[in-house]
């Protein structure tokens, strides 16, 4: 699975970091999402799907 | 319960507000959600708008930026004290996160999101643990029964947000009083205007002092922030400061006290968390869902035509997205009226959804987890000192909770 994020729509809620901390992080300056990796290992796919569902601004897409 | 709900599409409802059980939303919502999930709502000021109660609709509505947070009028689904144009004029242009849309909202919110990241909130954990412990130690040494709101629920989040923002905690009596006035829908016009003026003046002075004497806190950071090449105006700083101060303590304070009532009313819950503290983070999420303290829901204004839940909202119409009703939707949360700490679905809307979702939610999680962890371990036999139905509830407050919670324990 691959994951992409849209930093323009991200509202910095932190839900992704709470849900899948190995994949997502937040920029220290403004809390906007950054990817630690865009390739999701099978062990983390459920977490990433959950993070995409929880994201309040719809900034996370899985492929 | 006997109040009839019409199924005629042309008949507008008024927002049910009377609870039968203090821990459940008004029971009418179960029927409304099932029979009229998208229904006309008669607002007390005469406006005919919409009420949405299904989880999927409320979530979709909150994510839809065509439903604006910038309300042209002070329209509310519950009766509030009217203010004249003249009354509102001095602060009509106050812009903060809560009443702006993108791109203005994005500009303001991004100045703050860096201060509330998951990492930053976790870094605060030792200090929050210390604050909670200090207050619990003082509670243990003090007289009893004791009002949990006064000794713990209100002071902990107040002190935390004061330290974060850079507001002197010694000033709390005044800002707590003004904040309570502003959240109470029964406050008189004079009370509201006095509270707004006082808290704005107070914050204005603070902003001026931060400009002259910078300290290491959020308010100082905002004063010197460069919002996309455009520093915040004095009025923006005041509006944001007031919002963070009020939202930062009222919400968590009420979750602590109302959550404690919930856990003590059925003591097996309290005992369960005392025995299995590892359940507490999930218990916090479930309490957030179950109690949904933003009790009248959120109001939005349709800037354009929006289809939602099978109806068409016309431009100019106001919409209520009812968080407590959505969080008890059986289609989303099986057996929704049961408090279940083993629920795997934590997609509740207690913090809202969309770009306005609560900025302080990660702080609230840390505060609530720390407080319930220390309280259940220090007082495994904590109990209510009054019958549960004698606990005075905040029925008229935008943020629901208890006014007082007398508790006792055995040594």
């Amino acid at each position: 699975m691959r994951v992409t994020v849209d930093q323009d729509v991200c509202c910095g809620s932190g839900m992704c970091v709470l849900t899948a901390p190995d994949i997502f992080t937040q920029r220290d300056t403004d809390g906007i999402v950054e990817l630690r990796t865009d390739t999701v290992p099978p062990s983390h796919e459920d977490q990433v799907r959950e993070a995409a569902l929880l994201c309040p601004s719809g900034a996370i897409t899985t492929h | 319960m006997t109040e009839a709900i019409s199924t005629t599409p042309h008949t507008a409802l008024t927002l049910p507000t009377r609870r039968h059980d203090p821990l459940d939303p008004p029971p009418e919502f179960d029927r409304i959600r099932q029979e009229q999930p998208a229904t006309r709502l008669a607002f007390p000021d005469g406006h005919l708008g919409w009420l949405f109660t299904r989880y999927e609709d409320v979530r979709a509505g909150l994510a839809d930026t065509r439903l604006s947070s910038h309300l042209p009028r002070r329209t509310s689904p519950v009766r509030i004290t009217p203010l004249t144009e003249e009354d509102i004029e001095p602060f009509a242009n106050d812009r903060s996160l809560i009443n702006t849309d993108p791109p203005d909202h994005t500009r303001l919110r991004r100045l703050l999101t860096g201060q509330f990241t998951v990492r930053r909130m976790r870094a605060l954990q030792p200090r929050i643990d210390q604050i909670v412990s200090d207050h619990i130690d003082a509670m243990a040494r003090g007289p009893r029964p004791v009002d949990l709101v006064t000794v713990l629920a209100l002071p902990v989040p107040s002190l935390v947000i004061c330290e974060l923002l850079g507001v002197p905690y010694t000033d709390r009596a005044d800002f707590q009083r003004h904040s309570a006035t502003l959240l109470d829908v029964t406050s008189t016009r004079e009370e509201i205007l006095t509270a707004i003026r006082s808290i704005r003046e107070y914050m204005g002075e603070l902003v001026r002092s931060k400009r002259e004497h910078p300290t290491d806190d959020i308010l100082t950071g905002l004063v010197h922030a460069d919002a996309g090449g455009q520093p915040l105006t004095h009025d923006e700083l005041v509006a944001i400061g007031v919002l963070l101060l009020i939202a930062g303590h009222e919400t968590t304070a009420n979750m602590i006290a109302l959550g404690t009532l919930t856990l003590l009313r059925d003591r097996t819950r309290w005992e369960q968390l005392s025995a299995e503290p590892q359940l507490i983070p999930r218990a916090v999420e479930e309490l957030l869902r179950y109690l949904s303290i933003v009790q009248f829901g959120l109001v939005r204004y349709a800037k354009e035509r929006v289809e939602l839940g099978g109806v068409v909202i016309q431009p100019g119409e106001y919409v209520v997205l009812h968080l407590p009703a959505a969080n008890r939707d059986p289609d989303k949360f099986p057996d929704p009226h049961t408090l279940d700490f083993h629920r795997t679905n934590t997609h509740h809307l207690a913090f809202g959804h969309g770009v306005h979702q609560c900025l302080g939610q990660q702080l609230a999680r840390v505060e609530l987890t720390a407080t319930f962890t220390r309280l259940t371990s220090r007082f495994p036999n904590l109990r209510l000192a009054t019958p549960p139905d004698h606990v005075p509830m905040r029925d008229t407050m935008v943020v629901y909770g208890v006014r007082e919670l007398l508790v006792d324990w055995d040594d």
Side-chain angles (χ1 to χ4, degrees):
Chain A
M1 181 198 273
R2 281 188 61 250
V3 60
T4 51
V5 292
D6 186 340
Q7 294 183 323
D8 290 338
V9 304
C10 172
C11 67
S13 77
M15 291 313 294
C16 54
V17 180
L18 204 63
T19 312
D22 296 334
I23 310 297
F24 303 98
T25 183
Q26 284 173 287
R27 272 202 307 243
D28 268 336
T29 46
D30 58 6
I32 296 308
V33 63
E34 284 184 329
L35 285 172
R36 292 180 185 277
T37 170
D38 60 359
T39 311
V40 182
S43 55
H44 288 64
E45 287 185 359
D46 285 349
Q47 276 184 14
V48 171
R49 274 190 212 100
E50 177 81 354
L53 263 176
L54 282 170
C55 176
S57 57
I60 301 170
T61 312
T62 56
H63 307 271
Chain B
M1 208 62 175
T2 53
E3 195 177 321
I5 292 168
S6 165
T7 51
T8 316
H10 301 292
T11 310
L13 300 180
T14 54
L15 192 77
T17 55
R18 191 170 303 163
R19 295 170 188 260
H20 285 210
D21 183 306
L23 302 183
D24 288 328
E28 292 89 341
F29 281 111
D30 281 335
R31 261 187 300 164
I32 294 172
R33 192 192 308 102
Q34 193 168 357
E35 295 171 12
Q36 298 167 270
T39 183
R40 281 294 189 177
L41 182 72
F43 287 69
D45 66 359
H47 178 75
L48 193 59
W50 295 95
L51 169 67
F52 293 89
T53 48
R54 265 196 318 226
Y55 176 89
E56 286 305 330
D57 298 339
V58 170
R59 188 176 193 271
L62 290 170
D64 195 325
T65 50
R66 294 170 302 174
L67 295 175
S68 170
S69 291
H70 178 55
L71 310 182
R73 277 179 294 120
R74 242 175 109 253
T75 287
S76 163
V78 291
R79 192 165 293 285
I80 53 172
T81 306
L83 297 180
T84 65
E85 296 268 315
E86 247 173 23
D87 289 341
I88 296 171
E89 205 272 321
F91 38 86
N93 291 319
D94 277 13
R95 292 276 179 271
S96 79
L97 281 70
I98 207 166
N99 59 6
T100 47
D101 295 324
D104 293 341
H105 171 263
T106 316
R107 167 181 163 258
L108 297 177
R109 181 160 172 132
R110 288 202 172 189
L111 292 174
L112 287 164
T113 38
Q115 305 287 336
F116 290 92
T117 59
V118 173
R119 189 184 304 145
R120 282 213 186 211
M121 294 303 109
R122 288 202 176 131
L124 280 178
Q125 181 135 16
R127 176 62 189 143
I128 292 173
D129 284 343
Q130 183 64 50
I131 290 173
V132 172
S133 292
D134 290 349
H135 284 83
I136 285 180
D137 289 347
M139 173 178 160
R141 289 191 305 266
R144 44 196 234 220
V146 68
D147 174 20
L148 192 87
V149 175
T150 313
V151 297
L152 186 73
L154 194 53
V156 166
S158 294
L159 182 50
V160 171
I161 198 67
C162 279
E163 290 191 359
L164 267 178
L165 271 183
V167 172
Y169 185 59
T170 43
D171 296 342
R172 65 189 178 278
D174 280 342
F175 72 69
Q176 284 172 353
R177 195 179 65 246
H178 299 320
S179 154
T181 301
L182 295 175
L183 290 175
D184 190 338
V185 299
T186 62
S187 295
T188 65
R189 173 175 166 271
E190 287 70 27
E191 286 167 341
I192 297 169
L193 293 175
T194 304
I196 297 180
R197 270 188 222 117
S198 309
I199 203 162
R200 284 172 94 254
E201 263 167 41
Y202 173 71
M203 192 55 69
E205 277 305 310
L206 211 52
V207 164
R208 272 186 281 273
S209 86
K210 300 285 176 190
R211 210 179 285 283
E212 283 168 34
H213 311 286
T215 39
D216 182 17
D217 49 54
I218 291 181
L219 214 48
T220 302
L222 287 175
V223 167
H224 297 95
D226 169 48
Q230 192 188 351
L232 294 175
T233 66
H234 182 77
D235 284 350
E236 281 174 333
L237 286 165
V238 169
I240 293 173
V242 168
L243 171 69
L244 294 182
L245 185 56
I246 294 179
H249 77 277
E250 283 279 357
T251 46
T252 307
N254 283 295
M255 272 307 298
I256 292 171
L258 190 62
T260 304
L261 169 63
T262 309
L263 299 170
L264 291 179
R265 201 174 74 161
D266 171 2
R267 276 201 50 89
T268 59
R269 304 299 190 170
W270 190 264
E271 287 156 14
Q272 190 182 8
L273 295 188
S274 297
E276 298 174 76
Q278 70 279 9
L279 273 180
I280 289 176
R282 288 170 80 167
V284 164
E285 294 303 320
E286 177 65 349
L287 286 167
L288 286 162
R289 177 195 75 85
Y290 188 78
L291 298 170
S292 296
I293 57 176
V294 180
Q295 64 168 334
F296 306 130
L298 296 171
V299 183
R300 295 288 189 263
Y301 171 81
K303 284 189 295 191
E304 48 191 281
R305 182 182 182 278
V306 176
E307 283 181 42
L308 184 65
V311 301
V312 174
I313 306 163
Q314 296 296 341
E317 290 182 333
Y318 287 76
V319 172
V320 172
L321 302 162
H322 206 274
L323 307 182
N327 278 340
R328 297 287 188 108
D329 183 344
D331 286 345
K332 181 68 183 176
F333 304 101
D335 200 3
H337 301 309
T338 299
L339 187 71
D340 177 2
F341 299 152
H342 294 281
R343 214 178 267 283
T344 50
N345 166 2
T346 56
H347 305 172
H348 63 75
L349 302 174
F351 290 118
H353 187 66
V355 297
H356 290 279
Q357 193 184 53
C358 179
L359 176 71
Q361 58 177 303
Q362 309 304 355
L363 174 60
R365 286 187 169 98
V366 172
E367 290 175 320
L368 292 171
T369 303
T371 304
F372 286 123
T373 301
R374 274 157 203 268
L375 200 55
T376 50
S377 71
R378 177 64 182 78
F379 301 108
N381 54 21
L382 195 75
R383 62 173 185 269
L384 296 176
T386 52
D389 54 356
H390 288 197
V391 176
M393 306 306 295
R394 290 167 48 109
D395 289 312
T396 63
M397 307 293 272
V398 172
V399 178
Y400 187 61
V402 299
R403 293 185 188 276
E404 180 186 74
L405 191 69
L406 292 176
V407 293
D408 205 343
W409 62 90
D410 302 316
D411 287 319

